[in-house]
Structures are given as C-alpha cells and as structure tokens.
C-alpha cells in the first residue's frame, strides 16, 4: 500500500526543532502534556498535505471530536474517504510503563524501550550513534496529565468512530510484532 505516515506529534516536534512560529506556539502545550489547539493542528496538516495525492495513515490524529469533524469536512472537499479507524486498546498501567521506559534518538528519531527493546549500547542509537533522550512529555508527571487529557478529550472519539461503521479494534497490549500482524489482518492487508 502506498500510504504516507502522518504523525502530528512528529510534525509538531519538527516545527519546534526548526523554531517556526507554530513550533514556538505549540511547545508550551506539548511540554505540559496538553493538546495543541485544534485549529493550529488542522491548518498545519492542510498546509503540509494540500498537494499530497497518496493515501494517508494518520498517527496521533485526530485527538478530539472537533478535529475528527474538521477531517471529515476536509476529506469531502478533497473527494477522499476515511477507509478505517484503528484503535489500539492498551491498559492504562501498560501505557504508563511504556512511556516511562521509552527513549528517543536525538539524531534520527528512532524509538527504543529500555525494557523491551533496548539499544545495543546504553544511551546510544544503534542506527546513527547519537545519544538517546527521554522526551520532555515522557517524564512521569507529564504522563499522568497526558492520560487525563486522553480521557477528557480523546476518548469521546471512540463513540464518534464506533458509530461510523469503519471502526477496528486491536489489543495493543501485545508485542509490536503481534499488534502489527493483528492490524494487518483487520485491514485484510497481506504482510
Ligand atoms: P504524540 O507524539 O502523538 O504522543 O504527541 C505529542 C504531543 O504533541 C501531544 O501530547 C500533544 O501536545 C501534541 N499533539 C500531537 N498530535 C496532536 C493532535 N492531533 N492534536 C493536538 N495536539 C497534538
């Protein structure tokens, strides 16, 4: 499948690293574990993806019902359809543990987990040799805030998409390999 991976979190971190006006505005929200305002996220996506003709695989988006409604309207204006929504269901304790043990490469962005997929040499990226870091929003106090924000603002999306008829759910508590297999099977895509 010729899909473009669109992670709004990655795009926002890129804007922050480049110190663009959007990145500067978004940084306070992100560091505190809050959501960046819907309008900023939507304008950012429209400007980045306006000319994109391939299929889109959104990751971490939409995060609110308002974003989902704006996405629906945007798809209508582009003559595109939403084929599927995949919900990776993970218990809260597992989310806390995974985020707390996640490390991200400061060079290439590759993600590690110090418990389940550590780098060969502690603190150093296998791929590019740059140091690994803990994302500011993966610090314990911010993780708790992000989970509360999820419950308040993102969980209502489950009802929104369950009603839409193209909602798929996988057990995200399994290993990355198993989750990949399950999601591909749900989407009826051959690995
Ligand atoms: P992520 O990398 O998806 O975990 O996102 C990291 C942070 O970026 C979130 O905690 C939010 O502050 C911000 N963010 C990412 N995607 C969105 C979105 N769709 N709407 C609002 N804020 C977002």
């Amino acid at each position: 499948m010729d899909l473009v991976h669109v992670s709004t979190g990655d795009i926002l971190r890129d804007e922050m690293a480049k110190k663009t006006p959007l990145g500067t505005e978004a940084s306070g929200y992100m560091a505190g574990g809050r959501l960046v305002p819907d309008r900023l996220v939507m304008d950012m996506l429209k400007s980045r993806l306006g000319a994109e003709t391939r299929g889109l695989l959104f990751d971490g988006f939409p995060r609110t019902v308002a974003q989902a409604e704006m996405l629906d309207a945007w798809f209508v204006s582009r003559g595109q359809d939403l084929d599927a929504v995949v919900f990776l269901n993970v218990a809260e304790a597992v989310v806390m543990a995974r985020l707390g043990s996640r490390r991200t490469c400061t060079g290439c962005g590759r993600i590690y987990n110090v418990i389940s997929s550590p780098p060969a040499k502690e603190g150093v990226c296998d791929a590019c040799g740059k140091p690994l870091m803990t994302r500011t929003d993966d610090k314990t106090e911010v993780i708790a805030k992000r989970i509360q924000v999820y419950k308040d603002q993102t969980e209502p999306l489950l009802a929104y998409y369950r009603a839409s008829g193209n909602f798929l759910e996988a057990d995200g508590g399994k290993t990355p390999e198993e989750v990949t297999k399950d999601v591909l099977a749900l989407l009826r895509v051959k690995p």
Side-chain angles (χ1 to χ4, degrees):
M1 271 197 297
D2 191 18
L3 295 179
V4 194
H5 175 212
V6 183
S7 156
T8 41
D10 282 352
I11 299 174
L12 286 164
R13 280 183 288 277
D14 180 52
E15 296 277 342
M16 269 169 60
K18 290 181 180 147
K19 297 190 173 16
T20 64
L22 167 64
T24 308
E25 192 167 352
S27 62
Y29 294 99
M30 293 172 75
R34 290 176 299 142
L35 293 183
V36 174
D38 295 328
R39 177 46 64 197
L40 283 184
V41 173
M42 210 57 217
D43 287 350
M44 167 183 92
L45 282 180
K46 284 182 181 171
S47 75
R48 289 231 177 183
L49 299 173
E52 182 58 67
T53 53
R54 291 170 293 174
L56 306 172
L57 173 64
F58 289 112
D59 169 0
F61 173 85
R63 288 278 235 281
T64 65
V65 170
Q67 288 180 16
E69 288 169 349
M70 287 189 250
L71 179 65
D72 286 344
W74 189 55
F75 273 161
V76 169
S77 73
R78 286 162 65 95
Q80 277 184 317
D81 284 323
L82 181 68
D83 297 312
V85 175
V86 181
F87 170 47
L88 301 180
N89 196 349
V90 187
E92 189 174 318
V94 177
V95 172
M96 302 269 306
R98 283 183 183 171
L99 293 181
S101 52
R102 176 163 67 179
R103 299 291 179 273
T104 309
C105 176
T106 50
C108 65
R110 183 162 160 184
I111 293 168
Y112 297 84
N113 184 294
V114 288
I115 296 161
S116 58
S117 55
K121 187 172 170 213
E122 194 184 326
V124 178
C125 180
D126 294 344
C128 73
K130 292 268 168 35
L132 305 184
M133 60 147 188
T134 300
R135 265 170 50 176
T136 317
D137 57 347
D138 282 345
K139 305 245 155 66
T140 318
E141 47 303 354
V142 186
I143 292 173
K145 172 73 181 167
R146 287 166 68 196
I147 288 180
Q148 193 54 49
V149 165
Y150 170 79
K151 286 182 185 161
D152 294 342
Q153 294 179 262
T154 304
E155 210 165 48
L157 275 176
L158 295 180
Y160 183 89
Y161 282 126
R162 275 200 176 104
S164 74
N166 42 17
F167 180 86
L168 304 169
E169 179 167 344
D171 177 0
K174 296 183 181 176
T175 64
E177 294 74 23
E178 288 170 325
V179 176
T180 303
K181 199 165 141 262
D182 291 352
V183 170
L184 290 177
L186 283 171
L187 294 169
R188 296 193 183 84
V189 175
K190 291 204 179 72

